[in-house]
């Protein structure tokens, strides 16, 4: 969402009176990309410097709507948190934040987010692949690298909307086909893919050994 800071400006790179900022809700506060171009937590009631050097001010919500949109820097912490879930990508959140920073800078990747009531509740990542993708005949192919929705928002069609947003982007990039994969044990993911119109191409078993 977008919020306007109203109050005494403070800091060289903090908040400026009358300026509009991108923000998302984070544990009862606003995470805001301020004048430093970094994201910091500010009080929703009285955003002010921690050292008390200025009285601070208040926020005015300029725009808040439920939407699927392209991810921005301010979303990275939420993206990493969702992606770290075992059923998504798993792994260390700090490393995932670095991964998402690279994805947001990549021309071959799209990271889309679902924002509802000022909160990030889901994401999808697709990549343009020029190498062969099983079952496809064209190039590049859009590949669904990951998709996830917060548990309390599942069953509301959000994942489908994320996919459709990604599909529109892929078409604009010249893609005619979509690829994806899931673990054989992930029945929910399998059902999701089939509901979107994917067709199963093949099943594989991966091997490894030490040498």
């Amino acid at each position: 969402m977008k919020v306007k800071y109203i109050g005494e400006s403070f800091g060289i790179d903090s908040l400026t009176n009358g300026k509009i900022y991108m923000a998302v809700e984070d544990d009862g506060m606003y995470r805001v990309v301020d004048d430093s171009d970094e994201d910091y937590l500010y009080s929703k009631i009285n955003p002010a410097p921690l050292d008390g050097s200025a009285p601070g001010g208040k926020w005015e919500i300029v725009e808040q709507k439920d939407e699927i949109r392209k991810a921005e820097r301010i979303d990275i912490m939420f993206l990493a948190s969702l992606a770290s879930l075992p059923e998504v990508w798993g792994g260390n959140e700090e490393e995932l934040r670095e991964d998402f920073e690279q994805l947001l800078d990549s021309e071959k990747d799209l990271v889309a987010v679902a924002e509802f009531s000022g909160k990030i509740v889901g994401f999808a990542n697709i990549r343009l692949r020029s190498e062969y993708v099983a079952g496809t005949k064209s190039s590049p192919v859009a590949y669904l690298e990951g998709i996830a929705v917060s548990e309390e928002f599942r069953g509301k069609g959000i994942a489908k909307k994320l996919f459709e947003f990604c599909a529109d982007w892929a078409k604009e990039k010249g893609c005619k086909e979509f690829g994806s994969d899931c673990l054989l044990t992930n029945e929910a993911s399998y059902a999701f893919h089939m509901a979107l119109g994917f067709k199963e191409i093949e099943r594989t078993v991966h091997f490894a050994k030490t040498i």
Side-chain angles (χ1 to χ4, degrees):
M1 65 178 141
K2 295 180 180 179
V3 294
K4 179 190 291 186
Y5 172 69
I6 300 174
E8 183 178 325
S9 303
F10 61 88
I12 299 175
D13 293 315
S14 294
L15 298 176
T16 301
N17 181 41
K19 188 171 180 178
I20 295 175
Y21 299 90
M22 285 293 298
V24 292
E25 287 196 29
D26 186 350
D27 196 25
M29 302 181 75
Y30 282 153
R31 183 168 293 278
V32 177
V33 176
D34 62 17
D35 295 340
S36 69
D37 200 31
E38 299 286 342
D39 58 284
Y40 291 99
L41 285 172
Y42 286 94
S43 167
K44 292 175 65 174
I45 307 300
N46 176 228
L50 295 176
D51 60 8
S53 58
K58 63 179 182 179
W59 297 112
E60 178 182 292
I61 297 178
V62 177
E63 180 182 66
Q64 179 174 320
K65 57 184 180 180
D66 297 344
E67 61 177 346
I68 307 296
R69 60 172 173 79
K70 188 175 181 179
E72 300 186 33
R73 183 190 180 99
I74 195 172
D75 305 316
I76 287 178
M77 289 194 66
F78 304 95
L79 290 168
S81 178
L82 263 176
S84 67
L85 295 174
E87 65 268 28
V88 187
W89 290 345
N92 179 275
E93 284 194 35
E94 184 174 345
E95 293 177 354
L96 286 168
R97 286 195 290 271
E98 295 177 359
D99 291 341
F100 276 112
E101 287 180 0
Q102 295 177 11
L103 291 174
L104 294 187
D105 291 335
S106 170
E107 295 182 358
K108 292 186 176 182
D109 284 270
L110 169 70
V111 180
V113 295
E115 180 178 346
F116 286 78
S117 300
K119 298 180 180 180
I120 303 303
V121 301
F123 84 91
N125 169 220
I126 67 170
R127 175 169 297 169
L128 303 180
R129 292 194 180 186
S130 56
E131 69 272 21
Y132 173 70
V133 173
T136 64
K137 299 178 181 179
S138 60
S139 181
V141 172
Y143 204 87
L144 185 60
E145 303 288 347
I147 188 166
V149 175
S150 296
E151 186 173 359
E152 63 269 32
F153 286 89
R154 293 172 187 168
K156 302 179 183 296
I158 294 175
K160 182 180 179 182
K161 291 179 181 178
L162 281 165
F163 175 79
E164 291 172 345
F165 183 92
C166 291
D168 288 341
W169 180 85
K171 290 176 185 177
E172 292 176 0
K173 297 296 182 179
C175 295
K176 297 180 180 179
E177 296 176 284
F178 226 114
S180 186
D181 64 76
C182 73
L183 294 174
L184 295 177
T185 55
N186 194 335
E187 296 180 0
S189 180
Y190 185 91
F192 170 72
H193 282 81
M194 298 303 285
L196 289 176
F198 281 92
K199 295 181 179 179
E200 183 180 329
I201 301 301
E202 62 185 13
R203 299 190 176 207
T204 62
V205 178
H206 296 267
F207 298 94
K209 72 181 298 292
T210 57
I211 56 175

